[in-house]
Each structure stands twice: as structure tokens, then as C-alpha cells.
Amino acid sequence: MVSEHSDRAGDESTALALKILVAGGFGVGKTTLVGAVSEIRPLRTEELLSEAGQSVDDTDGVDQKVTTTVAMDFGRITIRSGLSLYLFGTPGQDRFWFLWDELAQGALGAVVLADTRRLEDCFPAVDYFEHRRIPFVVAVNCFPGARGYGAHDVCRALDLDPGTPVVLCDARDRDSGKEVLIRLVEYAGRMHTARLLDSVG
């Protein structure tokens, strides 16, 4: 979490920049979400899927996917005046997880994208953030043709801690992605406040 101060013609204002991770399984829509909501041209580190990776990358259900993130995606969105979010999309494959600890440093919270056709792919991300006590929301990316499930069904299937938000979204849609991020900021704010009160109680 980074605070930035700026002076404008005698008007002193404080701008707050928050770091958010966007995680989830391979092909779930992380790059799409970051690109859809970012107000700047997103930084992408995508490479073509190779024959060497075919034995380790499960493309079942996402067989149209031809590229993969090998480091991170980066974007920025202004939620309101004085509040910006820096978005870091994590790589989905296990072999790139050594990057997660670096990316998670200083993060306010995370969005875990889920695909109900491959729900088990987001288990590792859920476990990662739960064990590190990083607040997160699960955003179910509603792919065309996928069977619809309610938030309660997804929450139960993932065995989430009580109170962890589950929202339905379209990662391609800017407004839908922005609503997910707002929900995360509100939830993470409540979590951090509760922990602060517990520490001084």
C-alpha cells in the first residue's frame, strides 16, 4: 500500500494507491480482466504456448488459448478521485509460482478468478491467500455456454472461510470488473480494520 502526496495550485490532496493481485487458474481470464479495466495500456508478459508446455499445461476447456502469462500483467484503474488501484495479474501455471511471493508483497488483497468448468484450478490460489491471511474475493468469470452456479454453490464447493465474498462477473466487461474491484477494496478494508482493532484490544 503506497500513499502519494501532491500539491495542486494551493490545493493539497492525498492520493492513495493500492496494490491488488488478480489470480486464478490457467486460462481463467486474468489477462482479460486486467486489460478490460485498466485505464492505461496494460503491460503484458505473454508468450505463445509451446509444444514443450503441452505436457504440463492443462488446456482442457480452454483449447482456444494460444498464449500464456509468464511473469505478470500490470494495469491501473482510478476507482474515485484520490484512489487508484495497481493491478498485478499472476501467472496461472504451477511452474511460475515462485513469482507469487514477490508479487504479493504489500498487496491490499486479491481477486481469485474462477471458471465453473474448471473450479478446482482456483484451489491453489484460494489456499495461498487464506494461509497468508491476504483478503480476497472469488470472482466467477461467467463464460458463454458454461453452466451457471450461484455464489452460495461456489462458496460451498471451494470450502471458503465464512464471509469471503463470491461475485459473478464478465472479465471482458469494464463495469463488471470494476464492481469486483470495489467489492474487494470494501472487504479488504473491513478485514484490515478488524485486525487492527483485535491487535489493540
Side-chain angles (χ1 to χ4, degrees), residues 19-25 28-35 37 69 71-75 77 85-92 100 103-104 107 109-114 125 129 136-137 139 169 171 177 180-181 184:
K19 181 179 182 181
I20 302 294
L21 299 187
V22 179
V28 77
K30 301 179 293 295
T31 298
T32 300
L33 176 66
V34 172
V37 301
T69 299
M72 67 174 186
D73 298 310
F74 174 78
I77 179 174
L85 304 182
Y86 290 146
L87 309 176
F88 293 80
T90 65
W100 280 44
L103 291 175
V111 173
V112 176
L113 271 177
F129 296 121
F136 68 95
V137 301
C169 75
V180 170
L181 295 170
L184 170 62

Side-chain angles (χ1 to χ4, degrees), residues 195-201:
R195 290 171 186 171
L196 183 62
L197 292 175
D198 284 345
S199 69
V200 297

Side-chain angles (χ1 to χ4, degrees), residues 57-75:
D57 294 332
D58 179 10
T59 58
D60 185 36
V62 288
D63 47 346
Q64 300 299 312
K65 186 172 175 61
V66 296
T67 61
T68 186
T69 299
V70 295
M72 67 174 186
D73 298 310
F74 174 78

Side-chain angles (χ1 to χ4, degrees), residues 12-114:
E12 190 172 309
S13 61
T14 302
L16 185 62
L18 304 175
K19 181 179 182 181
I20 302 294
L21 299 187
V22 179
F26 176 66
V28 77
K30 301 179 293 295
T31 298
T32 300
L33 176 66
V34 172
V37 301
S38 181
E39 62 201 15
I40 62 172
R41 183 178 178 181
L43 168 68
R44 292 178 172 155
T45 57
E46 289 197 306
E47 295 291 341
L48 290 172
L49 289 172
S50 65
E51 290 185 18
Q54 288 179 352
S55 62
V56 291
D57 294 332
D58 179 10
T59 58
D60 185 36
V62 288
D63 47 346
Q64 300 299 312
K65 186 172 175 61
V66 296
T67 61
T68 186
T69 299
V70 295
M72 67 174 186
D73 298 310
F74 174 78
R76 185 190 73 209
I77 179 174
T78 301
I79 296 295
R80 58 172 170 75
S81 178
L83 175 59
S84 296
L85 304 182
Y86 290 146
L87 309 176
F88 293 80
T90 65
Q93 299 100 311
D94 296 1
R95 65 183 183 278
F96 295 123
W97 276 16
F98 65 91
L99 296 168
W100 280 44
D101 287 338
E102 288 293 328
L103 291 175
Q105 289 291 325
L108 173 79
V111 173
V112 176
L113 271 177

